Amino acid sequence: MIPYCDTPGQSVAAAVVGGLLGTAVALAAGLDLAAGVVLAGLLGGLADLSAHVVRGDDQFRAALAQLRG
């Protein structure tokens, strides 16, 4: 089983930055509310995953090992 996040501060910071970036891009592109929310959510999630990959932390390695079987 994958443990709970061992770096919650990192995850929050990365998701907030990604979400704000997604919101800014959506507003600049003139997207409607639903598209802006989806874009902000996707970029927030990708930012969180990217932060784990860059750090190469144990939690991310454990998640990959579990997915690989």
Side-chain angles (χ1 to χ4, degrees):
M1 180 166 167
I2 300 171
Y4 289 107
C5 184
D6 58 349
T7 55
Q10 168 193 294
S11 295
V12 168
V16 167
V17 170
L20 290 173
L21 179 62
T23 301
V25 169
L27 289 173
L31 299 176
D32 65 350
L33 179 62
V37 168
V38 169
L39 182 61
L42 285 173
L43 287 181
L46 287 174
D48 186 23
L49 281 175
S50 299
H52 283 291
V53 169
V54 168
R55 282 190 63 232
D57 57 16
D58 293 334
Q59 178 190 12
F60 188 72
R61 287 190 195 119
L64 287 179
Q66 185 173 8
L67 287 174
R68 291 180 182 154

